[in-house]
Structure formats: C-alpha cells, structure tokens
Amino acid sequence: MCEELGFEKLLGEEGFFARLLGRTPSGAGRDLLYGPDLPVVLLTGGPGMGKGRLLRAVRDRFAAKVPVIHLDCASPVYADRADPEPGARSATTEALVEVARRLCTWQGTGGSFAFPRLFPGLAMIATGVTEGTPEAVATEAERYEGLAQKQRLRGLGAGDFWRGVLRGAIRNLLTTLSGQALDPYSAAVSNALLDALFESAAPRGRAELERLYGAYPGAAGQPRIGLRILAADFRAGGEAREVAESFLFRALREDLEAAYASPSGWLRRVGRPAMLLDHAESPLGERLLRAVLTDRRAGQRDRVVIVGTARRADGGAFLHGGLPPEEVAPAAEYRPADGAPPAWSRRTDGAADRAPLADGVVLLRMPLLTGDQLRRETVRRQQRAEPEGGTNRRRIDAAVARLSGGRPHTVIRLSAAAAAFRMPADANDRDILDAPLRLPGDDTPERPVADVLLRELILDQLPVRLPTEHQAQWLDLLSHLSVAHDTECADVLLRHHQSGHVHHLTAHHVSQLLTDTGWPTCERHFIGDFGLRQLLVHRLYGLRPGGAAWYADHHLLRDHYAERAAGEAPDAQGDGAFRSLTAHRMNHHLVSGGADDVVSHLAATLPGRPGAWCADLLEIAQAPYPGGADARRERAQGLVAADGPPLRRTVDQLLHAVWLCEERTRPTGKETARTLAKLLDLLSIMDFEGAGRLSRTATDWSGLAENEQPLLRCTCTEQLRRRR
C-alpha cells in the first residue's frame, strides 16, 4: 500500500503537519500554526478514506524529529492490561501509561521525558487493587515508578522534582504496615502512600503537587484530599471514574508542557509533541478527546498536538452537546484542496465556558483522490504492456474511478486486483469486483477483491453503537438494503429479513448507524455511497444461485408498492425518493424481469404529458442491472426484435438506452448519446399531444450522455461527476 498516496501536500516540508508540529520531516523549523491555545484536529471521513493511513504516515515522517505517539484506541490491549486489576486500572489509564512509557525512551532532540506529576495520581489509584493490602498496593504502584523521574546516572534521579531516589521509598513506607490487621482500602494504606509521596518530593515538586492535585474537584486546594478523592472516584466507576481519568490525562499533558517550558527545555526542545489517536470514535478515544477539549475550554493550556480520527462528518455527536443536527454550529474545517489552513480561535464571549466542545476542534476533511492521482495509481499497478494501445487500462481507470468514487483505500485495492485483469469491452464495472487479490504478507489464498473490501470497509469497521445482537447480520442487512431508495422501502426489507428476531433495527436506526460510521447520504438511494452500494449489489446478486436473493427483494418491493397504489390515481404522489407510487413500483418491476410491462406502461402514459413522463422514465430507469448477459445496448439500438406499434417499439428502445445511462457502471459516450437523440427525435415527430416538446429533451439528454453525466442528478451521482 502506498502510505502517502493523496497526502503529499499534507506531509510535505510546507504542509499542514509541518506547521502544526513546528518541524518538517527533514528537521527544519517552521512557524507554528495556532497557539498558545490549540484546537484538537480531527480527521473526518468514512471507511476507506485513509485516516489511519495518514496518522501512520505522520508518525513515520515526523517521529524522528519531534515526539509523536500513535495510539490505536480500538485496540483491545489496553482493556486486557487493565483486566487483572479492574479497581486500579482502566483502558484509559493503561493508554496513558503507554504514552508516558514511550516518551520516557524518546531519543530525539531534547532527550527523554519524565512524568512526575502523573505518577502520584497513578500511585493513588493503585490503592484500589483487589487485595488492598500494603504489599499489593506497593507492587501495583511500582508499575509506575519508572515514569516519575529521568535517570541521568545509574540509580541517580534527576532531582529537580523528587528528592534523591524514589525507587523503593513507597515499598519501604508501606511495608511498615505489613502484618497489621487492615481492611481492604484502609485509610492507613492511603495515608502511608501519601506520606511516601510528599516526603520524597523536593520543595519544588511538593509545590507542584499542591498546585495540581489541590485543584482536583472537591479538594479545596488540599492536595492530599485531592489525591484521596481521585482514588475514590476511580474506584466508584462510571462518570466519577471518567473525572479521575480526565485529570490524569491533564497531569500527563502538564508534564509535557513543563518539559518544554522550563529554561532547559526552552533551550533544548523544538516543535511540539503530538498524540495521534486512531479510531478515536471508540469509547477510549472519545474519553480522551472529551477530556482534553473540556480542559482547554476551561482555560487549561498546553502545547500537545492532539490529532484524532472521526468517522462522522460533524466530528462526533458528543461534540455538540446533544443539539439536533439542524441546530449545530459547524466546527472550523480545513479541506486540503483549499490551500492554506483556516484561521481558528476560541470564542471569548461570556458563553465560552458553555460552548459545545466542537468549538475547540478543527475538522480536517480527508481528501478524495483526484482523477490524475487515481490514474497514476492504476498505471503504477499494471503488470504488462497493452498491445491494443491502452484500451484495457482506460477501461480499468474508468471502472476504478466509478466504483471507488475516489475513496483512497478502495482505489488501492481495486488497482492492485486489476493489475493483471482484462475487462471485456462491454463489461459492467462490477465485473472487476471478481478480480482475485492477495494482500501483501497474507499467506491465505487469493480472494475476490469484493470480499476483501467488504471485510475491510464493513465488517472490520462496524458502527461503534451497533448492538451486539445485530453484529452478525449487519452485512446481510446492508446487502438487502442496497436495493432500497428511501426509508419506507428500507423498512419493508428490514421487517422481512428480521422476521423471527426478537430485536429489530428500523430504517431510522440503520440510517443513523451509517451516518455514525461516516457513510454519506443520498436523497434517492438509502445506501448513499455509490461505490458501497455497488459492492453490496454485487454481493446480494451472488447470495443465492441465479441472483434469486436480488429478484426476491425487488419482487417484495414491487408488490408492496403495487398494493399501496391500488385504488389510487395513477399519478398519486409518493412521499420518498419517487414522484409517484406507480413509478416506484415500476422501478422494482423493471429490474426484476418486468421490462415488457414497464414498456407497456410508459407507452400508455406518454401522450399528453411529455414533461412528467420524462421525469417518470428517469426515475424508473435509475436502477442497477442484474448479473448475466446484458442486451440493453442492442435493445436500445433496435437490434433485438420488439413487437407492437412504432410508439411502443421506440419507447422500448428509449427505456433501455436511459437505463444504460442511469446505471452509471458502463461507459456511455457518443454512441449512446446519438441513440438517445435519435429515439427522442423520433418520438417528437409522432402524432400525439405534446410530442414536439421532446425535441428539446433530445438535445439536453444527449449532451449529458456524451459527457458521461447523469440524466437524473442526486447526491451520489454528483460525487461521481466531480471525480471525473
């Protein structure tokens, strides 16, 4: 995988991250972007947009010049480490300890870091160990002793915060209590630990402990009370534990700030340290983000660059204080294609302390690949010369562009799979999804690239709030929903495919889960991302032999809308993605084998209503084509015999030409444009009311088709158009 594909400007010597970190990949200094009040930067984009890839690239390019720590907040390792002592550890504290330990071994400019402010808080939550005895507390606290001070010489501490050698002091004091009959969590153990901490601190260190832990909520300026409350809050769990964890994160950042702000740090250290939080939409990531954003809103200042990932376009619901989407004030955002990063400053009015957390965020919109970047990637992957002058490569370029929509991960996977793939001249773009792919370093057999992408984009990135009981069927449900247009049809499918289950997801639930995962919406398609929809359509058609699952879902929806439309006027208005119930029914009838019936309906309803009829035609024909042989082009050109009068035969041809254009998975170009113009011109000179008005439509539609533009626009086809 090309780690920097699409990110070159962000990672370069003059790029966004060089200015944010104050250091270039080559080691040169850069004027700092933002500060002294820093926003949290959230990389926003759904699955496959490269958020994790960008964080890894930032780490790899900058970590030799400035301290950059990368954390995968979705990794189970932190919860696993906390599990043996749930009263004294949590996933959050284990993540903070890992950050501190890595920085304790930093070998770059300015040398390693120490965490004397963080250490007392960690030592105090050690009193929540299961046994609660002095020996058990001492053993747990000793896990963190290496974080407290830098070791300049063997056994000799730095001495500017702690007096002399801290190691062993805690055990020496706690063991004086050994043999005494103490209840678990005895105050005597906490008192002895506090005595050890404050007696070991140098005067400057004691003053820092008093300042920091005296500010703990409820401490009233008394550091010993603050440390006791912190330990009690941690043991209490729930929201109280989150307060304690947030304070420990503050202590870690204060240690980093002190390392830079001290006279020696000011002379020796450069740039800014950074924490890169991958999968920050996970519970651990959200807790860390909430903690730093809340602190900074309250006036806490530090120079630690926090960069996290966010699947949702708005950065995450927790940022907006529970406000409904229509009332949310948008956060500052940066689109790399726009050039310079945006100016940012925190509001300073009287409501600043009550502002939503989004006020402290800059959203970096992950870039889609441009057409040129996409073509370079597919060319780079080609494995052999092309005697036909590049025809196959150009066809693959077009297929990868349409199926990926410029989503970098999908481009990379499809380009790799297509490296030795030959596409028939009249192939559907979805044919490329059967191309075999073996992942680098993977010993398993080759798999169709569609299976790889479904695993990586859906199964490996389940919605964070998807209930456990629905996780096993999530991919199946989405596959069936690939044929849905709006919430009504989605609910029809969901009720059918969840029958027999105790717990049901509704279309509203699924829509929210897709939004939370970062997938876009579209007013005409329930699965609003074109590429994802094609992957799911491809899977649905292959679920059962002969596309039986595909046909069954379309028949279900056809019959539902036929029943709804029964007894209503032919033009009864729909309330979703279609203008009428009849058009919605005909759409599903068309793609499930009812083309002749649809032609009869269109031929009967054309006279007298050419404008409305054209709108109906576009809505009916906006559908994917099932697998197997595709005779639409031949039928559109009149090469397949059709029965009936000239009007019906011409409508038959036009329907298949429009369907070919609207599916968006085959090239149309000049040939189809000429066919559209010819058929509409033929209709315009026939003897029925309003026929002449179709002449203008012929010009409009043929111009769009010649330039590979959709005839019926919607959000997802507009995204495709912009990628060309």
Side-chain angles (χ1 to χ4, degrees):
M1 182 183 292
C2 182
E3 284 296 311
E4 298 183 9
L5 177 64
F7 303 145
E8 295 84 357
K9 291 183 179 179
L10 287 169
L11 298 169
E13 295 285 302
E14 304 295 334
F16 176 78
F17 285 100
R19 292 191 59 198
L20 192 62
L21 298 172
R23 206 74 170 164
T24 70
S26 65
R30 283 292 176 268
D31 291 339
L32 290 171
L33 182 64
Y34 310 128
D37 184 12
L38 276 179
V40 168
V41 176
L42 294 181
L43 314 180
T44 66
M49 287 302 297
K51 302 181 297 296
R53 186 164 57 90
L54 177 55
L55 289 187
R56 292 191 298 272
V58 171
R59 175 198 62 194
D60 294 344
R61 295 202 77 178
F62 291 90
K65 306 303 178 184
V66 289
V68 175
I69 302 299
H70 178 280
L71 282 183
D72 182 357
C73 297
S75 171
V77 66
Y78 306 114
D80 291 344
R81 291 175 187 170
D83 188 61
E85 287 291 352
R89 307 175 195 171
S90 69
T92 302
T93 61
E94 290 302 302
L96 296 178
V97 168
E98 175 154 323
V99 170
R101 283 179 175 153
R102 290 192 205 172
L103 290 169
C104 282
T105 61
W106 162 251
Q107 298 299 312
T109 304
S112 62
F113 295 82
F115 296 89
R117 295 162 185 80
L118 174 64
F119 169 70
L122 293 172
M124 280 303 294
I125 66 171
T127 59
V129 291
T130 303
E131 293 184 19
T133 63
E135 294 87 346
V137 171
T139 299
E140 181 70 11
E142 285 173 346
R143 292 182 72 225
Y144 313 119
E145 277 190 322
L147 308 180
Q149 55 188 359
K150 295 168 66 174
Q151 299 296 313
R152 291 181 178 166
L153 298 172
R154 183 181 296 276
L156 180 62
D160 58 348
F161 197 100
W162 299 100
R163 184 173 49 228
V165 181
L166 183 65
R167 184 170 298 278
I170 290 174
R171 178 166 292 277
N172 290 339
L173 280 173
L174 289 179
T175 52
T176 62
L177 300 175
S178 298
Q180 298 183 29
L182 298 173
D183 294 328
Y185 318 127
S186 168
V189 176
S190 295
N191 289 336
L193 180 56
L194 286 169
D195 289 342
L197 291 170
F198 280 88
E199 289 178 16
S200 299
R204 175 178 172 272
R206 189 176 298 115
E208 278 293 283
L209 293 183
E210 291 172 354
R211 179 192 63 80
L212 178 61
Y213 289 99
Y216 190 83
Q222 300 298 313
R224 289 174 179 258
I225 294 176
L227 283 162
R228 286 195 186 96
I229 298 174
L230 183 147
D233 283 350
F234 191 86
R235 286 197 298 272
E239 292 183 7
R241 173 171 283 197
E242 290 185 16
V243 172
E245 291 170 338
S246 175
F247 202 86
L248 292 172
F249 190 16
R250 181 193 302 181
L252 182 148
R253 298 196 314 276
E254 289 218 10
D255 279 321
L256 288 174
E257 179 63 22
Y260 278 82
S262 68
S264 61
W266 184 80
L267 290 172
R268 298 169 57 214
R269 298 194 185 277
V270 296
R272 289 169 172 157
M275 287 179 59
L276 311 179
L277 307 179
D278 199 2
H279 299 109
E281 69 280 351
S282 66
L284 169 58
E286 185 175 315
R287 284 194 293 272
L288 293 174
L289 291 176
R290 189 188 296 273
V292 68
L293 287 167
T294 302
D295 277 350
R296 290 180 179 176
R297 180 177 63 182
Q300 297 290 328
R301 298 291 175 259
D302 62 79
R303 71 188 71 203
V304 182
V305 170
I306 307 290
V307 183
T309 61
R311 294 178 182 179
R312 284 178 58 115
D314 63 4
F318 79 99
L319 296 174
H320 304 288
L323 292 174
E326 60 273 13
E327 296 182 24
V328 167
E333 65 176 54
Y334 170 45
R335 297 181 184 274
D338 294 341
W344 176 88
S345 61
R346 194 180 303 276
R347 70 174 68 181
T348 57
D349 58 28
D353 60 340
R354 299 186 302 276
L357 296 180
D359 193 48
V361 164
V362 169
L363 304 177
L364 194 162
R365 304 296 190 191
M366 295 298 294
L368 296 165
L369 295 186
T370 65
D372 286 342
Q373 289 171 324
L374 189 151
R375 283 186 286 274
R376 285 198 296 270
E377 180 66 9
T378 56
V379 167
R380 188 178 72 84
R381 301 278 185 169
Q382 293 301 301
Q383 295 179 343
R384 59 187 178 188
E386 304 195 35
E388 62 271 66
T391 301
N392 183 64
R393 182 186 60 75
R394 288 191 294 272
R395 185 66 184 87
I396 284 175
D397 284 352
V400 172
R402 280 191 285 261
L403 291 180
S404 70
R407 195 171 291 269
H409 185 80
T410 308
V411 169
I412 290 166
R413 291 289 187 246
L414 290 177
S415 297
F421 186 75
R422 311 296 292 178
M423 289 193 75
D426 195 38
N428 188 296
D429 292 346
R430 288 193 300 273
D431 291 345
I432 204 174
L433 297 176
D434 289 320
L437 177 67
R438 177 180 287 116
L439 299 179
D442 192 344
D443 295 332
T444 60
E446 290 180 328
R447 293 176 290 160
V449 66
D451 293 350
V452 175
L453 286 170
L454 288 169
R455 163 63 59 182
E456 294 177 333
L457 298 181
I458 296 179
L459 296 177
D460 290 347
Q461 302 198 53
L462 294 174
V464 173
R465 292 173 176 80
L466 177 66
T468 304
E469 60 268 21
H470 296 296
Q471 291 180 3
Q473 64 173 164
W474 181 242
L475 178 56
D476 282 340
L477 290 179
L478 291 186
S479 298
H480 292 295
L481 290 172
S482 66
V483 305
H485 295 93
D486 51 31
T487 56
E488 181 180 347
C489 13
D491 272 326
V492 171
L493 291 164
L494 287 168
R495 283 193 296 270
H496 177 76
H497 291 290
Q498 294 178 104
S499 61
H501 291 261
V502 175
H503 302 285
H504 283 202
L505 289 172
T506 67
H508 173 73
H509 293 146
V510 175
S511 179
Q512 285 297 111
L513 291 168
L514 290 170
T515 297
D516 288 347
T517 311
W519 292 109
T521 59
C522 176
E523 67 277 14
R524 291 190 176 276
H525 302 91
F526 187 80
I527 302 294
D529 182 84
F530 182 85
L532 175 63
R533 190 166 67 251
Q534 299 307 314
L535 270 172
L536 294 169
V537 162
H538 180 79
R539 180 178 185 272
L540 177 63
Y541 194 83
L543 277 181
R544 288 160 54 191
W550 154 285
Y551 288 110
D553 282 341
H554 281 293
H555 289 159
L556 177 69
L557 293 171
R558 176 201 65 189
D559 294 345
H560 169 78
Y561 286 102
E563 183 177 341
R564 275 203 62 193
E568 296 192 21
D571 291 331
Q573 292 298 302
D575 54 3
F578 288 78
R579 298 170 64 252
S580 72
L581 298 173
T582 299
H584 202 158
R585 174 172 67 89
M586 287 295 171
N587 171 276
H588 293 291
H589 194 31
L590 171 67
V591 298
S592 58
D596 289 336
D597 290 340
V598 173
V599 170
S600 297
H601 166 76
L602 288 170
T605 56
L606 170 56
R609 51 190 301 273
W613 184 86
C614 286
D616 287 345
L617 172 60
L618 292 182
E619 288 188 342
I620 291 169
Q622 51 146 0
Y625 192 78
D630 185 355
R632 285 178 299 173
R633 195 179 301 276
E634 290 77 10
R635 196 159 170 174
Q637 293 171 347
L639 302 178
V640 176
D643 297 329
L647 174 62
R648 190 186 190 285
R649 293 198 305 271
T650 306
V651 168
D652 186 314
Q653 291 179 243
L654 180 61
L655 169 64
H656 287 84
V658 172
W659 190 3
L660 197 65
C661 291
E662 288 305 274
E663 189 196 14
R664 313 294 297 150
T665 57
R666 293 176 188 273
T668 51
K670 294 181 179 180
E671 178 185 338
T672 306
R674 286 193 294 267
T675 300
L676 279 176
K678 171 187 170 184
L679 295 170
L680 284 163
D681 281 339
L682 280 174
L683 288 174
S684 73
I685 60 175
M686 290 186 180
D687 186 18
F688 60 83
E689 183 184 349
R693 281 182 273 167
L694 294 174
S695 182
R696 174 62 183 269
T697 305
T699 301
D700 294 342
W701 286 10
S702 62
L704 292 170
E706 184 171 350
N707 290 282
E708 303 281 351
Q709 304 243 11
L711 306 183
L712 179 63
R713 297 184 184 279
C714 62
T715 300
C716 63
T717 56
E718 281 295 289
Q719 291 170 346
L720 279 183
R721 185 178 68 83
R722 288 194 293 268
R723 296 266 60 76
R724 293 187 65 250

